[in-house]
Amino acid sequence: MELTWYGHSAFRVDAGDAHILIDPFLSGNPSWNNGWEEPAEGVTHVLLTHGHDDHIGDAVDILKNTGAMLVANFEICMFLVGKGADQNRINPGNHGGTVDCGGFTTTFVNALHSSSSAGEGGANTYLGNPAGLVLHFPGDKTLYHMGDTDIFGDMALIQELHQPDIGLVPVGDRFTMGGAVAALACRRYFKFETVLPCHFGTFPIIDQTAQKFIEGMEGSGVNVPALKVGETISL
């Protein structure tokens, strides 16, 4: 399995025949800002944790141009169909549900956050409840993208049910857990082999580095790679 981080919460996962983009906030992402075309090359699936614009990002353009399958909650799927995504290439789910994506499965789990898309005049379109996504790959590692969330006690159930090997964890504070709390969540509730911090450094109002998280994980025995934006790691 290979993981590429494009800044904020945007990741590409390449595992076997599956080429997945999660929360592809790319062309408007000041951490990346190199467009969506290169990250989306050969992509087979687009997965979305929730409906905020810094997570849906370039999903519609990517879906239209690649024919990738959209995996998200029902509200997001239908919202993006209304913007031109192919209704025959959606795979909706919701909390507690697992969907077969062909080559892997995605399970929707809880996240403590909100979910909407900003409109004109301050209006917001409700887009269902936010989720974390657990990806199971036969014969490969299990990956958990937490989405945007605070710590919550039922993370213990996610560990019990899914035993994820890899965690993609928001650490930037203000809109998600800060680094110290994110480290507490990882140490108390999970037995990760590798954790990649995200959702930091993108905007001035969130933490600019993952240093608090890295310091909080010291001595845990968990691998915490310090990926640069656009860098790929093999796991």
Side-chain angles (χ1 to χ4, degrees):
M1 178 186 298
E2 290 188 338
L3 292 179
T4 306
W5 181 48
Y6 291 105
H8 211 53
S9 295
F11 288 86
R12 175 164 172 147
V13 183
D14 294 285
D17 293 330
H19 307 288
I20 305 158
L21 281 175
I22 306 176
D23 287 356
F25 175 47
L26 297 164
S27 62
N29 179 352
S31 295
W32 169 249
N33 206 27
N34 288 319
W36 57 264
E37 290 83 358
E38 178 185 341
E41 185 175 352
V43 72
T44 57
H45 301 78
V46 173
L47 276 56
L48 301 175
T49 62
H50 64 287
H52 287 155
D53 296 336
D54 60 334
H55 292 259
I56 287 181
D58 299 291
V60 172
D61 286 336
I62 294 168
L63 293 166
K64 287 180 179 179
N65 283 274
T66 64
M69 175 188 292
L70 171 62
V71 182
N73 69 32
F74 180 79
E75 290 86 350
I76 291 173
C77 284
M78 299 315 297
F79 179 71
L80 296 191
V81 166
K83 293 185 175 297
D86 185 350
Q87 187 164 0
N88 296 314
R89 295 291 295 162
I90 61 173
N91 196 355
N94 215 321
H95 294 138
T98 298
V99 297
D100 185 351
C101 300
F104 69 100
T105 62
T106 299
T107 301
F108 295 78
V109 298
N110 282 346
L112 292 181
H113 196 58
S114 56
S115 180
S116 63
S117 180
E120 294 183 3
N124 283 282
T125 300
Y126 163 75
L127 289 177
N129 291 318
L133 304 174
V134 181
L135 281 57
H136 288 275
F137 299 90
D140 210 333
K141 297 184 184 298
T142 297
L143 182 148
Y144 172 30
H145 192 307
M146 292 186 179
D148 282 6
T149 190
D150 187 15
I151 191 173
F152 55 95
D154 282 349
M155 286 179 167
L157 286 175
I158 297 172
Q159 170 63 33
E160 181 178 350
L161 291 168
H162 299 285
Q163 300 176 1
D165 304 294
I166 303 166
L168 309 180
V169 181
V171 304
D173 213 339
R174 187 177 287 264
F175 300 111
T176 70
M177 299 179 285
V181 174
L184 175 64
C186 292
R187 298 181 72 132
R188 177 171 294 184
Y189 296 120
F190 296 101
K191 298 179 181 178
F192 291 126
E193 295 175 6
T194 300
V195 170
L196 300 178
C198 63
H199 209 279
F200 67 90
T202 322
F203 307 111
I205 59 174
I206 60 176
D207 284 355
Q208 295 303 290
T209 74
Q211 190 59 36
K212 294 176 185 176
F213 177 75
I214 294 169
E215 291 174 355
M217 293 300 292
E218 287 179 358
S220 67
V222 178
N223 181 31
V224 186
L227 284 188
K228 298 178 181 178
V229 174
E231 187 175 358
T232 300
I233 187 172
S234 295
L235 298 168

